Amino acid sequence: MTSRESAASEITPEVLLRAYACGIFPMAESADDPTLFWVEPEMRGLIPLDGFHVSARLARTVRSDAFTVTVDTAFKAVIAGCAEPQPERHDTWINKRIRDLYIGLHELGHCHSVEVWANDDLVGGLYGVNLGRAFFGESMFHRARDASKVALVHLVARLIAGGFELLDTQYVTEHLRSFGAIEVPRRRYRALLDKAIAEEPADFRALPVDHPVSGAQALHIIAERG
């Protein structure tokens, strides 16, 4: 279900948070389209935190710490990276208004980025919104093989450590299915969301943010939960 009626200029980061609490989120047709529309999918994508799957090959990459992973150190660069065309996605729904809104949420402490670095180069990352015990994954990108996957592994470890209950992916792709993503009907999603945001807020910063968490530690946290 989509609606363009409320995609007016009065949308603020605070309005955006209320929308997430109702199970809806904004998108744009393209990076060049200034308008937004609200989306509430009939089937919602989730990654169960107790069923997150990491392949043996990816686990080796994560454990090797070939990349350095940081949190909330380059939010604007991550959202810019997510707005770039990718091999599997030639256009993007991230326009200037989307960027400004989520930067505003980041400044309020309700939107976070995970950055993946090769030396001093940003080669991948993701960003998303936190509300209560729910985290809404928005977008990810990579400029090096496995970089976005490594970001997702570290994100999941951080969510588990922080007491999150719900990881919303909006939609499910074959890429996300490989990690254990599932689809649930709107009514079931609403029940899970209501429960997650009614409880004491989770702590996105339960793991250190002032220095990188090792790949081995991230994998250990995930294995303990699984």
Side-chain angles (χ1 to χ4, degrees):
M1 183 173 72
T2 64
S3 171
R4 294 174 183 272
E5 293 180 3
S6 51
S9 58
E10 67 267 23
I11 297 176
T12 64
E14 292 81 5
V15 168
L16 192 52
L17 273 185
R18 291 199 292 273
Y20 273 96
C22 295
I24 60 178
F25 56 89
M27 295 186 74
E29 289 290 355
S30 70
D32 298 325
D33 188 340
T35 62
L36 304 181
F37 56 92
W38 294 116
V39 182
E40 186 182 19
E42 290 285 347
M43 299 295 292
R44 195 69 166 238
L46 303 175
I47 295 180
L49 295 176
D50 56 0
F52 187 69
H53 175 70
V54 183
S55 71
R57 186 192 66 79
L58 179 58
R60 287 194 296 272
T61 300
V62 172
R63 192 174 289 109
S64 74
D65 289 327
F67 300 113
T68 300
V69 181
T70 58
V71 172
D72 288 342
T73 64
F75 184 86
K76 291 181 181 179
V78 167
I79 198 169
C82 290
E84 294 173 354
Q86 295 280 299
E88 69 280 4
R89 184 190 68 214
H90 298 297
D91 203 356
T92 178
W93 51 269
I94 301 174
N95 63 9
K96 183 180 185 302
R97 288 185 66 199
I98 290 281
R99 289 198 207 189
D100 290 346
L101 280 169
Y102 287 89
I103 289 170
L105 275 187
H106 176 66
E107 291 169 351
L108 291 176
H110 280 283
C111 200
H112 302 281
S113 58
V114 177
E115 304 93 17
V116 179
W117 307 85
N119 298 315
D120 293 328
D121 296 323
L122 182 66
V123 295
L126 58 82
Y127 75 98
V129 175
N130 72 285
L131 184 64
R133 291 183 178 268
F135 190 89
F136 308 85
E138 285 298 314
S139 188
M140 59 175 61
F141 80 101
H142 66 276
R143 297 171 183 148
R145 184 185 182 189
D146 290 338
S148 61
K149 296 178 182 179
V150 170
L152 182 58
V153 171
H154 277 261
L155 171 69
V156 168
R158 183 167 290 276
L159 298 184
I160 291 171
F164 285 81
E165 295 181 357
L166 183 68
L167 174 51
D168 175 356
T169 67
Q170 298 177 349
Y171 299 101
V172 172
T173 63
E174 287 307 309
H175 169 67
L176 293 176
R177 284 188 195 280
S178 69
F179 290 98
I182 61 172
E183 287 181 315
V184 298
R186 182 187 297 162
R187 181 175 295 181
R188 173 62 176 156
Y189 171 77
R190 282 288 192 89
L192 294 169
L193 176 61
D194 288 347
K195 180 177 181 294
I197 63 176
E199 297 181 355
E200 192 71 19
D203 183 5
F204 189 80
R205 297 188 165 217
L207 290 181
V209 295
D210 56 351
H211 62 269
V213 173
S214 72
Q217 184 180 356
L219 291 170
H220 176 73
I221 291 168
I222 291 169
E224 287 286 297
R225 174 65 178 260

